[in-house]
Amino acid sequence: MRGKKCYQIIHGMNRPIETCPLIKATETLSNVTVELYEPGVNKYFMTSVTPMLDEEGHIKSYVHSLVDITEAKDKEKELIKSRNAFFNMLNDLDYSYVELKGLYNSLIHSFANAIDAKSPWTKGHSERVTNYAVAIAKEMGFNDKDIETLRIAALLHDIGKIGTYDVILDKPDRLSSEEIELVKMHPVKGAEILRPIMQLQDILPIIRHHHERIDGKGYPDGLKGEEIPFLARVITIADSFDSMTSDRPYRPAPGIEYALSELKESSGIQFDPGAVEAFLMVLEKIK
Ligand SMILES: [Fe+2]
């Protein structure tokens, strides 16, 4: 080895490597530690060079040490590999979740369209009720989770009408008392239709009670005031407003002015006063 440079002996190269700790230690006169890969032996080393100085501060010699860290580096590589695999898996899961969420939303909208398609008179009713209900909820500062629950409940609020005869829904004359009783079953039927779906349990009481009134004269259970789930009270207002501003087989639409005065007059009797107030503010803004 005599007469040979250390980079020739250790690294098998003809010139010093860029990160040579010996050169750096010579310049800085202090210890330098670097991690090096030696392709000749296919190993990683933690290399440390400390210059030993004489009394005048000149370099007398060097203490050069190499610690084989190949095993630790291999473990680190394995860890990085598993971490990347884990992140890839999370990305895949995220993608599947987005796909499922999309499918879920499309199904809910298809359901809503199927409900409205029962009768030409109710085309677009569920979507409009949803837009009004969500606007009320936003005006009242509901949190995102409640708004999402309300959105699904509003889209599906009349799903029980799927089990009601079209001849009754489309009847141009006033309904008989038996027919009225049949139509009044739709909130109960709706909740029953959705009961097997685990993810929709939160909306069952909203569907069941969307025709209750604050004064207890609604159906199916005659609940009063705060006994009625709050989100159901919001849907009642959105639903009534859309009915009053849409034509029906037995009457033309009473119109927006009539609907507004009805909402105000029946606030605290049929409708929740806070939700009415919020809805009037919403309508004022979009005027
Ligand atoms: Fe309804």
Side-chain angles (χ1 to χ4, degrees):
M1 289 194 287
R2 179 169 292 188
K4 283 195 171 179
K5 297 288 186 188
C6 64
Y7 50 80
Q8 292 173 313
I9 301 163
I10 301 172
H11 311 298
M13 293 172 83
N14 289 325
R15 54 188 171 77
I17 56 167
E18 272 173 30
T19 51
C20 177
L22 191 83
I23 293 177
K24 200 133 193 224
T26 308
E27 285 165 8
T28 60
L29 299 181
S30 59
N31 169 272
V32 174
T33 302
V34 289
E35 201 182 291
L36 289 177
Y37 173 66
E38 292 301 341
V41 287
N42 188 27
K43 281 186 183 297
Y44 288 89
F45 293 99
M46 189 59 84
T47 309
S48 170
V49 176
T50 309
M52 307 303 288
L53 307 179
D54 63 15
E55 279 143 21
E56 274 121 46
H58 299 120
I59 299 173
K60 227 170 30 168
S61 57
Y62 298 92
V63 174
H64 206 139
S65 72
L66 289 109
V67 178
D68 184 348
I69 54 163
T70 311
E71 207 176 307
K73 286 297 281 186
D74 285 347
K75 279 188 185 149
E76 188 184 305
K77 271 193 218 159
E78 282 303 310
L79 270 177
I80 290 173
K81 238 195 254 172
S82 351
R83 188 198 61 184
N84 290 345
F86 180 65
F87 282 138
N88 285 342
M89 195 180 77
L90 282 185
N91 277 341
D92 288 349
L93 276 178
D94 210 29
Y95 186 64
S96 316
Y97 174 76
V98 170
E99 269 190 316
L100 268 179
K101 187 87 185 148
L103 175 67
Y104 171 77
N105 267 322
S106 312
L107 279 174
I108 300 279
H109 280 271
S110 300
F111 263 149
N113 290 339
I115 300 161
D116 296 348
K118 280 278 286 178
S119 157
W121 302 97
T122 51
K123 193 171 183 296
H125 170 71
S126 301
E127 301 273 355
R128 288 194 301 274
V129 169
T130 304
N131 291 340
Y132 297 140
V134 168
I136 295 172
K138 285 188 175 163
E139 181 69 30
M140 297 186 87
F142 285 21
N143 62 38
D144 289 350
K145 185 175 175 287
D146 280 347
I147 290 178
E148 183 56 14
T149 307
L150 179 69
R151 189 177 72 83
I152 307 294
L155 279 168
L156 301 178
H157 73 282
D158 271 344
I159 195 167
K161 285 190 179 169
I162 280 182
T164 307
Y165 299 115
D166 298 2
V167 276
I168 299 181
L169 296 176
D170 289 343
K171 197 171 168 183
D173 311 312
R174 290 264 163 215
L175 300 181
S176 68
S177 55
E178 292 84 12
E179 288 165 339
I180 289 174
E181 286 314 306
L182 270 178
V183 172
K184 279 182 166 184
M185 291 298 290
H186 79 271
V188 177
K189 279 189 202 158
E192 287 312 312
I193 288 171
L194 298 176
R195 191 170 301 282
I197 306 175
M198 192 187 75
Q199 288 81 355
L200 296 181
Q201 296 305 300
D202 283 358
I203 71 165
L204 300 186
I206 307 171
I207 305 269
R208 184 180 173 100
H209 298 298
H210 78 273
H211 281 287
E212 303 285 3
R213 293 168 51 114
I214 297 295
D215 60 8
K217 291 182 182 162
Y219 60 90
D221 298 316
L223 298 186
K224 275 186 188 165
E226 306 227 324
E227 293 169 353
I228 308 164
F230 193 73
L231 298 181
R233 286 181 250 161
V234 172
I235 291 182
T236 309
I237 293 170
D239 191 18
S240 303
F241 181 79
D242 189 60
S243 297
M244 289 188 278
T245 50
S246 307
D247 293 335
R248 284 286 178 266
Y250 48 87
R251 58 141 175 86
I256 192 157
E257 290 310 319
Y258 173 83
L260 288 175
S261 70
E262 237 345 80
L263 284 183
K264 286 178 202 162
E265 255 176 56
S266 302
S267 174
I269 303 164
Q270 182 178 356
F271 306 122
D272 180 274
V276 168
E277 201 180 310
F279 193 32
L280 295 176
M281 304 266 275
V282 170
L283 294 171
E284 191 61 39
K285 282 183 202 166
I286 55 171
K287 240 182 193 179

